[in-house]
Amino acid sequence: MAESAPEPADHDDAGVESAIDADIPRPAVARLAGYLYVLRSFSQRGVLVASSGELARAAGVNPAILRKDLSHVGANGVRGVGYDVGRLTARISMALHTDNVQLVALAGAGRLGQALLAHTGFGRGFQVVALFDEDPALIGQALTPSGPTIGPLSDIDKIGSSDAPQVEIGVVATSDDHAQRAFDAFVAAGVRQVLNVTPVSLSTDADVVVRQVDLALELQVLAFQASRPSSSGAAERLPSGRRRPSVMGEETVTA
């Protein structure tokens, strides 16, 4: 597939490991995850080769940003052709470590927790192996036929036992009043990567990476962007009157 700007020549796989081991900026990591989703949708449709322009449009980014992001994982397209979809999927999967399944424990099996569980589906590199909640109506149930049985929050410490699967990531999706308790239990069980989707600011002295995702805060950021005048450049008006969305990653809120 030809495109307006030629792709740089591809490199051999010998340099992939060194490229993957390099530090990747956090905004680029988020965009790479988006590219991986796009690439998998391309594969499902039988697309074998895609240009940077096609990938960028599908991901909602500028082609130059896409090419820079892909350079972090040592991926370059074939000049005048584009990217091999399968090969690029493998490279990004290696960089994001989704080629290996990461085991996850989820504290909070209510509506939010169930929504998160539904989005850790096939091919995304995650498997929820433990579920916890404080609702007596949920304890003892399994949300999926082959999934784990929901236990009480007081059982979180059991994921650190020698006979339990080694959980790499803990997710706190409890009610606000149980969030710190669940987090402390994850830390005590040896979990060092935690995703917090509650608005509670978790405190710890331990060497733990906490990723805070406050949905209400994200909505407030979008509301602010919507209130900005069109001259701000946040969105470009198309001839049809529709607005072109901002490039993915231009506005990134991180904890």
Side-chain angles (χ1 to χ4, degrees):
M1 301 178 186
E3 59 178 334
S4 56
E7 304 281 0
D10 198 11
H11 294 301
D12 293 335
D13 285 336
V16 173
E17 290 299 329
S18 60
I20 289 174
D21 290 341
D23 290 335
I24 304 176
R26 180 175 291 182
V29 171
R31 291 191 294 267
L32 285 166
Y35 306 153
L36 194 56
Y37 179 83
V38 168
L39 287 164
R40 285 172 175 156
S41 70
F42 278 16
S43 293
Q44 291 174 352
R45 293 177 3 229
V47 177
L48 301 180
V49 178
S51 68
S52 61
E54 290 168 329
L55 288 171
R57 283 192 296 274
V61 303
N62 183 289
I65 290 179
L66 178 136
R67 286 191 289 266
K68 182 177 181 180
D69 289 340
L70 296 183
S71 71
H72 290 301
V73 298
N76 294 291
V78 176
R79 191 180 307 277
V81 177
Y83 295 88
D84 180 289
V85 170
R87 188 177 182 186
L88 184 56
T89 300
R91 283 176 180 251
I92 297 177
S93 295
M94 290 174 63
L96 300 184
H97 303 291
T98 61
D99 53 332
N100 297 318
V101 175
Q102 305 291 312
L103 302 185
V104 178
L106 173 60
R111 292 181 179 179
L112 179 56
Q114 292 178 33
L116 291 170
L117 182 63
H119 283 81
T120 58
F122 175 76
R124 294 204 168 188
F126 304 99
Q127 179 184 357
V128 177
V129 296
L131 287 166
F132 305 96
D133 204 277
E134 277 296 87
D135 186 350
L138 292 175
I139 294 174
Q141 293 188 25
L143 298 180
T144 59
S146 58
T149 300
I150 300 171
L153 293 182
S154 57
D155 283 355
I156 291 180
D157 61 345
K158 294 181 180 179
I159 65 176
S161 62
S162 58
D163 58 343
Q166 184 59 50
V167 171
E168 290 95 359
I169 301 172
V171 179
V172 178
T174 63
S175 59
D176 294 357
D177 52 341
H178 291 302
Q180 186 66 51
R181 173 189 168 194
F183 175 72
D184 291 342
F186 278 138
V187 174
V191 177
R192 290 296 178 265
Q193 306 284 334
V194 176
L195 173 65
N196 178 27
V197 294
T198 76
V200 177
S201 179
L202 301 174
S203 59
T204 180
D205 295 328
D207 181 19
V208 179
V209 176
V210 180
R211 176 69 174 173
Q212 178 88 33
V213 179
D214 187 336
L215 299 181
L217 175 61
E218 300 300 326
L219 288 173
Q220 289 173 344
V221 171
L222 289 176
F224 170 75
Q225 293 286 16
S227 68
R228 296 172 69 182
S230 57
S231 60
S232 66
E236 175 188 347
R237 188 172 295 279
L238 301 175
S240 62
R242 295 180 291 108
R243 286 180 178 270
R244 188 187 306 280
S246 298
V247 173
M248 183 172 68
E250 284 186 345
E251 296 293 339
T252 303
V253 178
T254 58

